[in-house]
Amino acid sequence: MLLVLMAVMVLAGIGVPSYRTLAADREEARFFEMLLHDIYFAQSETYRTQASAMVVFRESGGTYEVVQNFQALMPPRKLPETVRLKKTSNLNGVYFTANGSVTSAGTLRFETSRGEKALVVHLGKGRVVLSE
């Protein structure tokens, strides 16, 4: 009986930490997928309304929001605890003009539990690429 209990404890000791890493990985994947969708939403709003829009990161609250004409288009979204915007980023947001193109190209660098991820914003029609 004691041997069975010991085996269960060993398996639980191995399984719980690996579950936490898996949960953090999934939360990060969902965050970056949602971020890309929100960026595309901001760009589509510029096409629809013919007014500029932006996705802005707020360091103080660890959030980002989609803004158009100084009004939030949706509630701010919180970054997961395992993700933070690095100071080495040369952008603090993605800005779209009224015709859907970006005003400045650059890279948003994020520190995650698995290392660095970069969101590269290209000039022109605002193509955004996420790389690991």
Side-chain angles (χ1 to χ4, degrees):
M1 182 70 172
L2 201 52
L3 187 62
V4 172
L5 182 60
M6 189 174 84
V8 168
M9 294 298 289
V10 167
L11 289 176
I14 293 171
V16 170
S18 63
Y19 173 75
R20 288 185 183 153
T21 347
L22 179 66
D25 288 347
R26 286 191 177 174
E27 183 181 24
E28 289 172 9
R30 279 192 301 268
F31 166 74
F32 284 111
E33 184 177 337
M34 185 61 69
L35 175 60
L36 285 172
H37 286 299
D38 289 343
I39 291 171
Y40 297 142
F41 169 73
Q43 187 177 32
S44 69
E45 281 298 297
T46 63
Y47 293 134
R48 187 179 71 81
T49 61
Q50 296 298 305
S52 62
M54 60 189 95
V55 178
V56 183
F57 288 87
R58 311 280 187 212
E59 270 187 60
S60 59
T63 61
Y64 75 90
E65 58 187 328
V66 179
V67 179
Q68 187 174 45
N69 296 328
F70 300 106
Q71 293 182 351
L73 294 177
M74 61 179 55
R77 295 196 195 268
K78 192 149 183 62
L79 276 69
E81 290 182 15
T82 57
V83 176
R84 68 178 182 81
L85 185 64
K86 293 179 77 171
K87 300 228 185 268
T88 57
S89 300
N90 60 356
L91 293 176
N92 66 348
V94 182
Y95 304 92
F96 293 102
T97 62
N99 66 357
S101 61
V102 293
T103 59
S104 60
T107 305
L108 291 160
R109 297 185 188 283
F110 296 92
E111 186 64 40
T112 69
S113 64
R114 295 277 184 178
E116 182 179 292
K117 287 193 178 189
L119 191 72
V120 181
V121 180
H122 297 278
L123 278 178
K125 286 297 178 183
R127 195 181 78 183
V128 178
V129 177
L130 180 66
S131 60
E132 297 188 28

